[in-house]
Structure formats: C-alpha cells, structure tokens
Amino acid sequence: MDQNKYYSEFAVKYRDDILNSVDPSLWTTDLNTNGPISARMKVRIETLKRIVKEHFSSEFPVFDIGCGFGRQAFVLAKEGFRIKGTDTNKDFIELARDIFRKHKLGGEFHCTQNEDHLSDEKFRQVVLLEVLEHIPAGKRKRFISSVSNVCFRSSKIIISVPRIKPGFKSQLLNVSKYILSSFFKNDEHPYPVPGENDIKKILGKYFFIIARVVNNETAFYICEAL
C-alpha cells in the first residue's frame, strides 16, 4: 500500500471523528482514552504554538506544505494567521476544507500532485511539519529546492520531524530504512527519519537553521531562506 492510499483510507475511516472533534488539532485515535499518542500530540501542538509566537508574525499568511487534514493549519488559524495549505491527498484536503467551514475559519486548501511546483505565490512564512520523513531520502533535496521556490529571501520556515530516540534499537531501525524502505510500505513512516546532520545537508544552499527546539517526540527546526 502506498502512502497516498494509506492516508485516503485513514481520512475516510476517521473523517466523522475528526470533523466532530471539539479541537481537531488535538484529535488522535486514542483521544477518548487519553492514550500515549494523545499525550504526545498535546506536547507537540503546545510546542508549535510557542515557536510560532516567537518566530512568525500574523501580518503575513502562512503556507502549510503537506497540511494533511489541517491539524496544524487549525492551530495557526486559531492563533490569528491566514492559512494556505497544500497536500497530495485529496481526501485530506476535502476534510481540511470541511473543518475550516465548520469552525468558521479562513483558509484555502489545494491538492497538488506536482511536488516540483507547490504554488504560484511566494510566502514569507512556511511550515513543513512532519513531512520530510514521508519523502524518500534521495528525493528530499529536490523537494526542498521546490519549497525554496515559494519563499522570498529571508522567509521563515518551521520544519518538524519525529525525534530519533536514543538507543541502539531505534537507531538501527531508522538506519535500516535507508536500505529496506520497500519492506516498510505499510508503516506510517516507511522512510528513514532525518537527523540534525541530515537536515543540514537537505537544506543545503536554500535555508539555514536559526534555532532548534526538541521535545521528547519531535524536533523542530526554525530556518531562514537564503
């Protein structure tokens, strides 16, 4: 199963639960039982809010690349930002639109299958949250080049990826995906998660890191366009 099909099935299966959630940004499959995924999501969202308040300005819109069903877009809209979001999955885009309509929030969402052309516009503020780990390692530099095309010089971008936990087992599993990614197709993260050195190489000549914030589950990189 490829990732797009996986997320379409996810969107259809949980559509009503997400749409009827009081706060879609905090929805998880174990929300009702206050499970571990829910606990991690609450930390991630609170961390994102702090970072956005410090580094972004509500004067400018935010372009949410890989917006999914609008989880982070919902957070940003509630914080007073104008949102434009894009994703490769049409079911997620439709759900994001419905969430924003239900909560009377302003936002534009578009489905794009062309990762080389993300938008005709340029933005001063971009978020790329939990996206890079879903892209094959060999295609990430090209993708970041496309991201840079929608940025002005000195545009700010917030990138997040799952934190690679310390310990031999976690490190080995992540490294093995560089070689065996075809065997992880049914995994939510079939490709290796980039660490800090990988992120720096991926950003290359397009962005530089100005700050890094790490919690137990997520690493955030606040970057500026060159």
Side-chain angles (χ1 to χ4, degrees), residues 11-27:
V12 171
K13 181 177 181 179
Y14 294 110
R15 175 184 176 81
D16 289 344
D17 291 343
I18 297 170
L19 192 57
N20 294 323
S21 175
V22 174
D23 185 345
S25 73
L26 296 177
W27 180 88

Side-chain angles (χ1 to χ4, degrees), residues 89-104:
N89 187 278
K90 64 180 181 62
D91 295 296
F92 270 164
I93 288 296
E94 290 174 3
L95 181 52
R97 289 170 178 164
D98 287 343
I99 288 171
F100 269 58
R101 276 194 292 266
K102 179 176 180 178
H103 291 269
K104 296 180 173 57

Side-chain angles (χ1 to χ4, degrees), residues 158-177:
I158 300 172
I159 298 172
S160 74
V161 294
R163 175 176 174 255
I164 304 172
K165 296 181 180 179
F168 178 76
K169 184 177 180 180
S170 296
Q171 300 284 336
L172 179 62
L173 176 61
N174 193 56
V175 170
S176 70
K177 290 183 178 182

Side-chain angles (χ1 to χ4, degrees), residues 2-38:
D2 64 28
Q3 285 191 87
N4 203 43
K5 184 178 179 181
Y6 171 88
Y7 284 117
S8 285
E9 291 184 359
F10 184 96
V12 171
K13 181 177 181 179
Y14 294 110
R15 175 184 176 81
D16 289 344
D17 291 343
I18 297 170
L19 192 57
N20 294 323
S21 175
V22 174
D23 185 345
S25 73
L26 296 177
W27 180 88
T28 59
T29 53
D30 62 353
L31 176 64
N32 292 334
T33 58
N34 293 315
I37 302 174
S38 177

